[in-house]
Amino acid sequence: KAADASLDEELSFDLRLSAAGLAAEEGQHEAALEAYEALLETAPTKRDVWEPAFVQATAIGDEERLFGLVDKTVSVLEEPDQRNAARIYKARFIVNIMGREPETAMVLRAILAEESEHEEANSMLNELYERIGYDEDRARELGEKLDEARDNQDATMVRDISLELGRLLATIRREDAMD
C-alpha cells in the first residue's frame, strides 16, 4: 500500500507538471503559473518546477509574484549555481527598467558574490555600468576580479581583466591606467 501510495503521488505530480506545461504551451500563462505555484508547495527545489514558474510570471509581467517566487526558491536551494539560476530571473526582469539600476546591480552583485565567474551576471553588470556611467563602481569590481585572478594565478584572466580595467581607467583616471 505504501508503494502504491508513493506511486500515485509521483504519478499525480507528473500529471500536474504535464498539465502546467500544456497550459504554458497554449499561452495560458496565468493557469500555468497557478499550476506551477501549487507544485512548488510540494517540490520547492525542483528546477523543472520553479524555472517554468518564473518564466510564466515573467510572461504575465507580474513582478511581485516573480520576486516572491524567486526569493522563496533561493531560500531553500542549497547549491550556489542553483540559487544564482533563480536570482538571474530578477535581474533579467528589471535590468532595462529606468530607475531600477541600483536594485539590478545589487541582484547581480549577489550572484557574483557566490559565483564570480557567472557569465551572464558579469555581462549584465558590465553593460549596466557602461549604460549608466557607473565607471567608478565598475573599476572597483574589475579591481576585485583582478585581485582574485592574481590569487588564483590565472594568467589569462589577469591579462584580460587588466586590459579591460586599463581601458576603463584611461577614460576616468588616466594616471591609474598606467599601473
Side-chain angles (χ1 to χ4, degrees), residues 104-173:
T104 304
M106 185 178 73
V107 172
L108 294 169
R109 283 192 299 266
I111 292 169
L112 295 172
E114 284 194 338
E115 199 176 351
S116 64
E117 297 302 315
H118 193 284
E119 285 185 38
E120 185 176 4
N122 273 307
S123 175
M124 287 176 73
L125 190 59
N126 283 335
E127 289 172 14
L128 177 67
Y129 284 165
E130 286 174 15
R131 186 176 78 227
I132 60 176
Y134 279 13
D135 292 335
E136 291 293 334
D137 288 339
R138 188 162 167 248
R140 182 181 42 78
E141 298 264 343
L142 287 170
E144 291 171 6
K145 285 183 187 178
L146 181 59
D147 290 341
E148 183 180 327
R150 284 181 183 146
D151 291 345
N152 294 333
Q153 298 179 347
D154 186 339
T156 303
M157 288 300 292
V158 168
R159 182 196 69 220
D160 293 347
I161 294 169
S162 294
L163 290 171
E164 186 175 351
L165 184 57
R167 281 191 296 271
L168 176 62
L169 289 175
T171 65
I172 60 172
R173 293 192 316 254

Side-chain angles (χ1 to χ4, degrees), residues 12 26 48 61 73 82 93 100 122 128 138 171 177:
S12 173
E26 293 296 319
D48 61 342
T73 300
Q82 294 293 302
F93 192 89
R100 303 289 291 274
N122 273 307
L128 177 67
R138 188 162 167 248
T171 65

